[in-house]
């Protein structure tokens, strides 16, 4: 069974269960289905069915994973009537590097209401992320990273990792900072465990660190990661203080989006074509190119 057939089969089952209000059975299907597959199935459901299905995803973290994978049209329709407080709670369960991407797909007034709710709840982490543009390094970075003081030993560093950094997403690069949290070096996990325990980090770190600024455009970040074959790139502010990292999975998303945009431009549809629902707007966007092609053919 190919992907389209699988999606249709899941959608057909969900529609039947939604009509019967079989909440327990639907939740069992959700548990066994990858969030990316659930998001794809949304396009095969009616708006009412989409809302009902989303409300029945009782695990907040799973709600967030589905939300980040929805296309802009379905995302906007789903969030349109959702209370800002509920949306804020869902955003708290989304990987922090995806929050800005989700917010950028929402209408400005909806995004503003959600930001006001986050401010009201005092969620300083998400507020800090949203201050950066969604297409900048600051907007897509993960604010969780491993930062170690340069004057500690390898043995002390291992102890710090075991105690404070168990849940860090990208443990391969260990960033070394000075007493002002300024980035001054990087070393690998392999280096850390293969040197004598008393070795200082400043003796094994690489001082030539490739980094980007918080305001660096995401396309430039992708080029840096590609050029230097990195799994992650550190993000600093204007004072070289470490703010976060951009991981390779986010770079893949950027490249995919840019390729899609370029293909739409080549087809004469424009970069906004995929995000418009109106047939009239789509026709107006493509009409000049179609007329030019027709004239050329004649």
């Amino acid at each position: 069974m190919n992907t389209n057939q699988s999606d249709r089969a899941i959608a057909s089952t969900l529609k039947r269960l939604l009509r019967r209000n079989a909440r327990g059975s639907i939740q069992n299907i959700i548990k066994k289905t990858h969030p990316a597959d659930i998001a794809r199935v949304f396009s095969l459901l009616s708006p009412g069915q989409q809302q009902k299905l989303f409300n029945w995803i009782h695990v907040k973290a799973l709600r967030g994973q589905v939300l980040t994978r929805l296309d802009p049209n379905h995302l906007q329709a789903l969030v349109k009537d959702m209370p800002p407080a509920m949306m804020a709670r869902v955003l708290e369960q989304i990987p922090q590097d995806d929050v800005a991407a989700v917010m950028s797909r929402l209408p400005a007034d909806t995004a503003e209401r959600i930001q006001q709710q986050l401010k009201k709840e005092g969620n300083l982490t998400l507020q800090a992320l949203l201050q950066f543009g969604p297409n900048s390094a600051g907007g897509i970075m993960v604010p969780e990273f491993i930062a170690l003081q340069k004057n500690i030993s390898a043995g002390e560093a291992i102890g710090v990792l075991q105690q404070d950094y168990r849940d860090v997403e990208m443990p391969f690069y260990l960033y070394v900072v000075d007493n002002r949290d300024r980035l001054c070096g990087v070393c690998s996990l392999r280096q850390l465990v293969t040197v004598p325990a008393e070795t200082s980090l400043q003796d094994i770190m690489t001082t030539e660190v490739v980094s980007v600024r918080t305001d660096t455009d995401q396309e430039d970040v992708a080029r840096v990661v590609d050029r230097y074959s990195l799994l992650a790139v550190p993000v600093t502010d204007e004072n070289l203080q470490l703010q976060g990292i951009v991981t390779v999975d986010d770079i893949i998303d950027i490249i995919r989006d840019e390729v899609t945009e370029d293909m739409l431009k080549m087809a004469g549809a424009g970069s906004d074509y995929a995000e418009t629902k109106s047939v009239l707007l789509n026709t107006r966007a493509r009409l000049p190119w179609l007329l030019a092609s027709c004239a050329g053919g004649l």
Side-chain angles (χ1 to χ4, degrees), residues 154-275:
E156 291 172 328
I158 291 174
V160 172
L161 291 178
Q162 293 173 339
Q163 182 175 349
D164 300 332
Y165 293 105
R166 293 182 180 180
D167 301 323
V168 172
E169 179 180 355
M170 187 66 67
F172 308 113
Y173 297 134
L174 314 175
Y175 299 104
V176 185
V177 296
D178 61 18
N179 55 8
R180 295 185 180 179
D181 291 330
R182 293 178 301 191
L183 181 63
C184 57
V186 62
C187 65
S188 68
L189 195 58
R190 181 186 61 80
Q191 286 177 296
L192 195 65
V193 299
T194 56
V195 298
E198 64 275 9
T199 306
S200 174
L201 289 189
Q202 59 187 347
D203 293 332
I204 62 173
M205 70 182 186
T206 300
T207 56
E208 296 179 0
V209 188
V210 177
S211 64
V212 296
R213 292 268 296 273
T214 52
D215 57 356
T216 303
D217 186 86
Q218 63 177 10
E219 291 186 50
D220 294 328
V221 178
R223 293 189 188 99
V224 168
V225 171
D226 177 55
R227 181 181 305 152
Y228 298 102
S229 300
L230 301 172
L231 295 175
V233 60
V235 182
T236 66
D237 61 14
E238 63 276 9
N239 299 316
L240 286 182
Q241 291 182 322
L242 194 55
Q243 301 296 309
I245 60 173
V246 177
T247 56
V248 70
D249 57 328
D250 295 310
I251 296 302
I252 293 172
D253 292 338
I254 293 168
I255 294 172
R256 183 180 63 239
D257 292 343
E258 294 302 330
V259 168
T260 301
E261 182 179 332
D262 291 343
M263 290 179 65
L264 289 172
K265 288 180 179 178
M266 290 173 62
S271 59
D272 296 331
Y273 177 77
E275 299 182 7

Side-chain angles (χ1 to χ4, degrees), residues 46-66:
S46 68
Q49 291 171 332
Q50 292 175 9
Q51 190 69 57
K52 195 172 185 180
L53 177 61
F54 187 79
N55 290 340
W56 282 1
I57 302 176
H58 64 282
V59 180
K60 290 181 181 178
L62 183 57
R63 280 185 174 186
Q65 292 175 43
V66 171

Side-chain angles (χ1 to χ4, degrees), residues 24-59:
S25 298
I26 287 177
Q27 289 179 344
N28 286 333
I29 292 176
I30 290 171
K31 289 179 183 177
K32 299 175 183 177
T33 307
H34 193 280
D37 296 326
I38 297 176
R40 271 206 313 272
V41 166
F42 262 71
S43 63
L44 303 176
L45 304 177
S46 68
Q49 291 171 332
Q50 292 175 9
Q51 190 69 57
K52 195 172 185 180
L53 177 61
F54 187 79
N55 290 340
W56 282 1
I57 302 176
H58 64 282
V59 180

